[in-house]
């Protein structure tokens, strides 16, 4: 018993861990969440797949053995106790019981015993009279099936644990130990997965997932195994005919469902079925659940707007699709573009003073990676629609070096025409050395004319400083400007000349922008021109801030999604659990056992009827194996009833 209790406690703790800690997720997710140290600790303890861990299966096995021994050892005695009315009790034993009562009646001994037997039988007791020397023992029992409750509950534990062992992937673990299967860790197309990582159709339990685009089919599912996966073959093919999803006004998915077509050689014709969340399809013992949905390879039209001088001057338009990898050449820089996902809706926080918890749909977005030849990659998330911020509109692009980081965002200002033409034009002017030199020369002449200085060396030095400030800003933003000031100016001069350098930079940026402004002013409409001028000033400030952030953006181009053709994919979870029926049987045993144990208590009564002079003396005693307080009242009521039935002359 102590061993069983200990095992139950261990199972309870393991179940809590398996419930709190999401199971069978990619190992990278756990590594990001817990860090390297705790990741290794939890991995070595098997906490990422608790219900298939060896120690968990060992606990189930020990519990089966321990409980089976207990059932085998105690069942015969309990079955015997169910039938045994205990006809060998003595009056001394009855008088020692807590529940006992004695009274005298005027009827003879046998008639009193018969009256007691009839009354107890009417109360649902099984009764037997046992004549003894000078007395009659009436033995009665009700609730003998209570002992079956003990047997059923213990048997339920055995059956449920056996079902758990059957569904616990033990065959897979043995096959892995023997080298018959090998977990695949590489990201390979299905057709290239080696045979040693494929599982044939069989009777072993599994829970796998597969994402199938509309109009496509699959006869395999992927089983998550530690840091990799196995490919499980199915005895049929699942085709996604159509996927449907409905959204709330906020953009959150309200419901989604899939029309499936099952193809099986054993069927005369394929059959169709619709599944939805919590409404799976059951076929041949397999359960097909609607688990999620994702992109199925949407087609995207992208515009590559150059941010780097070497990437060209005009945006390049090209077609791609989600999950496609292609080599891109921007100038001399070669990068691999890996389009990873497309999202039709993006529900993000958008707090306001009136509603700090407001959520808003930011519209479609796509994610991609730009990978260098060294293997290093930056991940990007670009939104299709402009995002409003402080009353201004921007094209938003997030960037991060790893999934463990939050996205840092680049805000590209939307021009008066609703595009990026003005920003790109300003950036290219900053990158044009001829334009910068020309404006620097004009600014230098104007500055020296104001102080009436015509020193040639000063002219050259000032012009070089102006062009260098612009080049430094374009290359590294204000961070590089601060570094430039710290490295070129003596510490004693920084406080005085540093603001002057920043002032010269702002003036250069302003002149370069104004010299190439694309804003159109209205002749004879000063009020309208004032609005345009204010709009242009704000745009200029936003453009300067965006250019200052380009050094951290890490991409030679900004990819704008101008159009898309959305292709949905239905995420299915397919399970096969041969032990499930066994577990259900065990649960039925458990329900019956608990009912018998708690709601059908075993109650026993004994009455010794003995002649005493001119009358008969009755000694009544009773006991119950449960609910002693309830039995107090029951014994009192039963004793009073039996007194009345036997014709009590004087109770003692």
């Amino acid at each position: 018993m102590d061993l069983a209790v200990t095992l139950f406690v261990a199972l309870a703790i393991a179940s809590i861990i398996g419930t709190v800690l999401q199971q069978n997720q990619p190992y990278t997710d756990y590594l990001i969440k817990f860090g390297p140290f705790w990741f290794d600790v939890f991995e070595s303890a098997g906490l990422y797949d608790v219900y298939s861990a060896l120690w968990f299966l060992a606990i189930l096995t020990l519990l089966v053995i321990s409980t089976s021994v207990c059932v085998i050892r105690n069942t015969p005695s309990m079955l015997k106790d169910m039938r045994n009315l205990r006809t060998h009790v003595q009056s001394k034993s009855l008088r020692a019981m807590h529940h006992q009562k004695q009274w005298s009646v005027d009827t003879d001994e046998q008639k009193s015993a018969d009256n007691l037997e009839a009354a107890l039988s009417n109360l649902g007791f099984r009764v037997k009279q046992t004549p003894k020397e000078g007395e009659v023992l009436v033995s009665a029992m009700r609730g003998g099936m209570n002992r079956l409750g003990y047997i059923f509950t213990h048997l339920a534990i055995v059956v449920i644990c056996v079902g758990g062992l059957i569904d616990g992937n033990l065959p897979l673990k043995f096959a892995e130990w023997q080298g018959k299967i090998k977990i695949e860790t590489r990201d390979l197309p299905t057709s290239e997965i080696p045979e040693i990582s494929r599982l044939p159709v069989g009777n072993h339990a599994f829970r796998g997932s597969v994402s199938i685009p509309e109009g496509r089919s699959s006869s395999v599912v992927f089983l998550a195994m530690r840091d990799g996966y196995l490919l499980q073959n199915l005895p049929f093919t699942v085709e996604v005919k159509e996927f449907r999803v409905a959204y709330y006004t906020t953009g959150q998915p309200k419901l989604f469902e899939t029309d499936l077509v099952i193809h099986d050689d054993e069927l005369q014709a394929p059959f169709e079925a619709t599944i939805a969340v919590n409404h799976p399809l059951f076929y041949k013992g397999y359960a097909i659940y609607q688990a999620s949905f994702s992109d199925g390879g949407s087609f995207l039209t992208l515009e590559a707007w150059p941010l780097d001088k070497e990437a060209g001057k005009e945006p390049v338009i090209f077609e791609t699709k989600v999950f496609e990898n292609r080599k891109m050449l921007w100038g001399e820089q070669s990068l691999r573009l890996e389009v990873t996902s497309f999202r039709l809706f993006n529900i993000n926080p958008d707090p306001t003073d009136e509603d700090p918890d407001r959520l808003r749909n930011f519209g479609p977005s796509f994610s991609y990676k730009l990978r260098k030849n060294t293997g290093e990659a930056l991940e990007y998330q670009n939104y299709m629609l402009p995002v409003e911020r402080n009353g201004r509109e921007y094209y938003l692009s997030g960037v991060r070096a790893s999934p463990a980081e939050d996205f840092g965002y680049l805000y590209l200002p939307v021009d008066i025409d609703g595009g990026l033409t003005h920003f790109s034009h300003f950036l290219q002017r900053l990158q044009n050395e001829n334009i910068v030199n020309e404006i620097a020369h004009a600014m230098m002449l104007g500055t020296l004319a104001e102080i009436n200085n015509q020193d040639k060396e000063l002219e050259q030095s000032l012009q070089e400083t102006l062009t260098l400030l612009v080049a430094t800003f374009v290359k590294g933003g204000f961070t590089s400007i601060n570094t430039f000031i710290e490295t070129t100016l003596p510490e004693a001069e920084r406080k005085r000349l540093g603001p002057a350098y920043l002032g010269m930079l702002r003036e250069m940026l302003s002149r370069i922008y104004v010299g190439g402004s694309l804003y159109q002013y209205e002749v004879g409409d000063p009020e309208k021109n004032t609005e345009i001028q204010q709009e242009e000033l704000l745009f200029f400030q936003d453009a300067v801030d965006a250019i200052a952030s380009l050094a951290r953006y890490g991409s030679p181009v900004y990819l704008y999604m101008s159009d898309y053709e959305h292709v949905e994919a239905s995420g299915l979870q397919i399970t096969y659990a041969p032990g499930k029926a066994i577990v259900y049987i065990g649960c039925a045993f458990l329900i019956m056992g608990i009912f018998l144990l708690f709601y059908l208590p075993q109650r026993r009564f004994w009455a010794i009827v003995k002649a005493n002079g001119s009358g008969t003396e009755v000694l009544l005693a009773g006991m119950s194996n449960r609910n002693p307080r309830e039995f107090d009242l029951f014994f009192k009521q039963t004793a009073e009833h039996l007194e009345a039935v036997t014709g009590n002359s004087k109770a003692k």
Side-chain angles (χ1 to χ4, degrees):
M1 178 60 74
D2 292 341
L3 176 61
V5 171
T6 303
L7 294 175
F8 268 121
V9 171
L11 279 181
I13 295 173
S15 299
I16 292 173
I17 295 173
T19 302
V20 174
L21 179 60
Q22 195 171 8
Q23 300 289 287
N24 294 314
Q25 298 300 299
Y27 269 26
T28 52
D29 292 355
Y30 294 124
L31 184 60
I32 292 170
K33 186 174 183 179
F34 300 119
F37 176 77
W38 288 110
F39 168 81
D40 291 336
V41 172
F42 293 161
E43 195 273 335
S44 60
L47 300 187
Y48 303 138
D49 189 10
V50 168
Y51 304 112
S52 295
L54 289 178
W55 56 267
F56 185 85
L57 298 178
I59 291 175
L60 289 181
T61 303
L62 287 175
L63 192 57
V64 168
I65 296 173
S66 173
T67 310
S68 298
V69 170
C70 185
V71 170
I72 294 171
R73 184 177 60 188
N74 294 312
T75 295
S77 61
M78 290 194 171
L79 292 176
K80 182 179 179 181
D81 187 64
M82 287 173 53
R83 301 186 299 270
N84 187 3
L85 293 178
R86 300 183 185 178
T87 58
H88 300 290
V89 296
Q90 304 293 324
S91 59
K92 182 178 180 181
S93 301
L94 299 186
R95 295 182 190 279
M97 290 184 181
H98 176 70
H99 297 93
Q100 56 91 16
K101 191 172 186 180
Q102 185 174 346
W103 69 89
S104 298
V105 296
D106 296 331
T107 56
D108 60 56
E109 178 181 294
Q110 187 58 49
K111 184 171 180 59
S112 298
D114 292 340
N115 290 338
L116 288 171
E117 180 179 0
L120 288 170
S121 296
N122 291 335
L123 292 175
F125 285 83
R126 187 160 59 90
V127 189
K128 181 180 180 180
Q129 289 189 35
T130 305
K132 295 190 176 184
E133 185 177 350
E135 61 186 23
V136 177
L137 173 64
V138 179
S139 304
M141 180 178 67
R142 190 173 78 177
M145 299 292 286
N146 173 269
R147 292 303 186 185
L148 283 180
Y150 174 90
I151 297 173
F152 283 165
T153 51
H154 285 69
L155 189 61
I157 295 171
V158 175
V159 174
I160 291 174
C161 290
V162 168
L165 287 171
I166 292 175
D167 289 347
N169 286 340
L170 271 179
L172 292 184
K173 293 185 180 297
F174 285 130
E176 186 180 2
W177 290 339
Q178 296 170 354
K180 295 181 179 179
I181 61 173
K182 181 181 178 182
I183 295 175
E184 182 58 68
T185 58
R186 297 169 295 175
D187 186 11
L188 299 175
T190 303
S191 59
E192 297 180 13
I193 296 176
E195 195 65 30
I196 196 172
S197 298
R198 295 173 177 263
L199 300 177
V201 177
N203 293 322
H204 58 272
F206 68 83
R207 179 184 297 271
S209 301
V210 63
S211 182
I212 307 176
E214 288 179 309
R216 304 286 293 275
S217 61
S218 176
S219 59
V220 297
V221 293
F222 294 87
L223 312 186
M225 301 290 291
R226 298 197 299 276
D227 57 341
Y229 60 90
L230 294 172
L231 196 67
Q232 172 67 57
N233 291 313
L234 300 175
F236 51 85
T237 299
V238 182
E239 177 189 348
V240 173
K241 183 178 180 181
E242 183 180 359
F243 175 80
R244 295 179 296 276
V245 58
Y247 296 91
Y248 292 105
T249 54
T250 60
Q252 292 279 19
K254 180 168 58 176
L255 60 90
F256 45 95
E257 60 184 15
T258 305
D259 292 336
L260 300 179
V261 181
I262 303 299
H263 301 269
D264 192 340
D265 293 338
E266 297 181 3
L267 296 174
Q268 293 183 352
F271 75 90
E272 297 185 10
T274 299
I275 63 171
V277 177
N278 297 326
H279 296 281
L281 168 66
F282 295 96
Y283 177 67
K284 280 189 170 181
Y286 295 81
I288 305 176
Y289 296 91
Q290 179 71 73
S292 62
F293 64 93
S294 60
D295 192 86
S298 296
F299 296 92
L300 310 179
T301 300
L302 303 182
E303 298 177 5
W305 288 81
L307 301 177
D308 189 276
K309 182 179 179 180
E310 302 298 327
K313 295 183 178 181
E314 298 296 328
V316 177
I317 301 175
F318 63 97
E319 306 285 338
T320 186
K321 65 178 182 179
V322 178
F323 309 126
E324 182 179 73
N325 296 343
R326 60 162 62 185
K327 187 176 181 180
M328 306 296 292
L329 189 63
W330 288 296
E332 297 182 356
Q333 190 171 6
S334 175
L335 296 171
R336 178 163 292 278
L337 172 64
E338 303 172 1
V339 184
T340 55
S341 67
F342 169 84
R343 295 183 64 181
L344 187 61
F345 294 96
N346 286 274
I347 311 301
N348 296 322
D350 187 30
T352 62
D353 294 337
E354 296 78 15
D355 185 6
D357 299 323
R358 187 178 76 161
L359 299 175
R360 186 163 68 90
N361 178 19
F362 281 63
S365 71
F366 76 104
S367 299
Y368 62 96
K369 292 181 180 180
L370 289 179
R371 191 175 302 277
K372 299 179 181 179
N373 294 331
T374 58
E376 297 174 298
L378 292 177
E379 181 183 0
Y380 297 85
Q381 183 182 32
N382 291 3
Y383 290 83
M384 180 180 184
L385 303 178
V387 175
E388 184 178 332
R389 184 188 186 197
N390 298 327
R392 305 282 300 156
E393 288 190 335
Y394 304 87
Y395 285 111
L396 197 60
S397 178
V399 59
R400 63 184 179 185
S402 74
E405 301 176 3
D406 293 329
F407 280 107
Y409 288 95
L410 173 68
Y411 291 85
L412 296 179
V414 178
D415 57 35
I416 197 170
D417 299 323
L420 292 169
T421 303
H422 292 211
F423 173 80
S424 180
H425 180 68
F426 177 39
L427 178 60
Q428 289 179 27
R429 285 178 61 82
L430 289 175
Q431 294 169 343
N432 190 313
E433 295 180 1
N434 293 331
I435 293 176
V436 173
N437 284 330
E438 180 182 340
I439 293 177
H441 182 73
M443 181 175 169
M444 175 271 296
L445 293 178
T447 302
L448 294 182
E450 290 180 3
I451 62 175
N452 195 21
N453 190 323
Q454 297 182 354
D455 187 337
K456 296 298 182 182
E457 291 185 3
L458 182 59
E459 288 181 4
Q460 182 178 357
S461 175
L462 180 56
Q463 181 166 343
E464 289 178 353
T465 300
L466 292 173
T467 56
L468 185 57
L469 283 172
V470 173
T472 302
F473 173 77
V474 171
K475 185 177 181 180
F478 288 111
T479 302
S480 294
I481 292 295
N482 290 333
T483 303
F484 172 77
I485 292 174
E486 291 176 357
T487 55
T488 57
L489 293 179
E491 186 174 356
E493 300 291 333
R494 290 175 195 167
K495 185 174 292 187
R496 182 173 64 88
L497 296 180
Y501 272 42
L502 292 175
M504 288 189 291
L505 173 63
R506 293 192 186 96
E507 181 64 22
M508 280 291 296
L509 296 176
S510 177
R511 292 190 180 202
I512 293 171
Y513 175 79
V514 172
S517 174
L518 300 178
Y519 276 73
Q520 301 294 324
Y521 288 84
E522 302 290 338
V523 178
D525 191 347
E527 184 176 343
K528 180 66 174 178
N529 289 339
T530 300
E531 293 180 6
I532 296 176
Q533 186 177 20
Q534 182 64 27
E535 167 67 26
E536 187 171 19
L537 176 61
L538 293 174
F539 176 83
F540 167 71
Q541 294 172 347
D542 292 338
V544 169
D545 291 339
I547 294 170
S549 303
L550 291 181
R552 298 190 300 272
Y553 190 60
S555 172
V557 296
Y558 166 71
L559 296 182
Y560 170 68
M561 180 173 59
S562 59
D563 197 7
Y564 63 87
E565 181 184 340
H566 193 199
V567 178
E568 298 272 18
S570 180
L572 306 180
Q573 185 178 86
I574 302 179
T575 65
Y576 182 67
K580 180 174 67 174
I582 298 175
V583 171
Y584 286 163
I585 294 173
C587 291
F589 278 135
L590 186 61
I591 293 172
M592 290 188 294
I594 291 176
F595 177 82
L596 293 174
L597 280 174
F598 288 93
Y599 298 100
L600 192 65
Q602 186 185 73
R603 291 172 175 173
R604 293 180 180 271
F605 277 83
W606 295 271
I608 293 180
V609 183
K610 184 177 181 180
N612 183 14
S614 60
T616 303
E617 185 178 276
V618 178
L619 174 61
L620 179 70
M623 62 178 294
S624 174
N625 65 344
R626 293 194 61 82
N627 301 327
R629 291 186 179 180
E630 181 183 335
F631 186 69
D632 288 343
L633 178 61
F634 180 79
F635 180 82
K636 179 181 178 181
Q637 294 174 343
T638 303
E640 291 175 353
H641 175 67
L642 295 178
E643 287 181 53
V645 168
T646 55
N648 176 16
S649 61
K650 184 178 181 182
K652 296 183 180 179

